[in-house]
Structure formats: C-alpha cells, structure tokens
Amino acid sequence: MNQDEVICSCLNVTRGMIKEAVNNGAKTFAEVQEATEVGTVCGACVEDVEKLIAELTSK
Ligand code: FES
C-alpha cells in the first residue's frame, strides 16, 4: 500500500493517515473521521475510506 496516496483529495488525507488513525484505536468510519476529518467535505471518498478501514481492521 502506498502510504502517501491521497484518499481524500478535499482534505489531503492519505492512506497513511487513515492507517495511523486505525493504529491509534479508531475502528469505525466515524472514529476515523473524528481523528482525520476525512470525508467531511464532498463525501466522494467515503466508500474508499470505509473499504480501507475494513481492510486494516480485519488484520
Ligand atoms: S474527497 Fe474526501 S471529502 Fe471530498
């Protein structure tokens, strides 16, 4: 996974930032959103972020 890949272009949130939020204890989209503000502008990234969180939390 490319950690620097921007998953939310509105807020420049990268995959690495989502991973960090999960590593810091966030388990749901709402918790990751609280930590990163991801998906709070246009919402287009929400599905991708949810998939990524599912991937990260299933390990
Ligand atoms: S791309 Fe994430 S809120 Fe727009």
Side-chain angles (χ1 to χ4, degrees):
M1 189 202 317
N2 182 355
Q3 303 290 319
D4 293 332
E5 192 187 320
V6 173
I7 195 160
C8 174
S9 49
C10 289
L11 294 158
N12 274 322
V13 177
T14 62
R15 286 172 167 268
M17 286 161 74
I18 303 294
K19 190 170 184 213
E20 194 185 308
V22 170
N23 288 344
N24 287 335
K27 286 178 199 67
T28 62
F29 179 77
E31 287 171 350
V32 170
Q33 188 166 62
E34 209 170 291
T36 62
E37 290 184 5
V38 72
T40 53
V41 184
C42 77
C45 58
V46 170
E47 206 175 302
D48 287 344
V49 174
E50 281 177 336
K51 268 187 216 153
L52 178 58
I53 295 165
E55 230 172 81
L56 294 168
T57 53
S58 70
K59 278 176 204 151

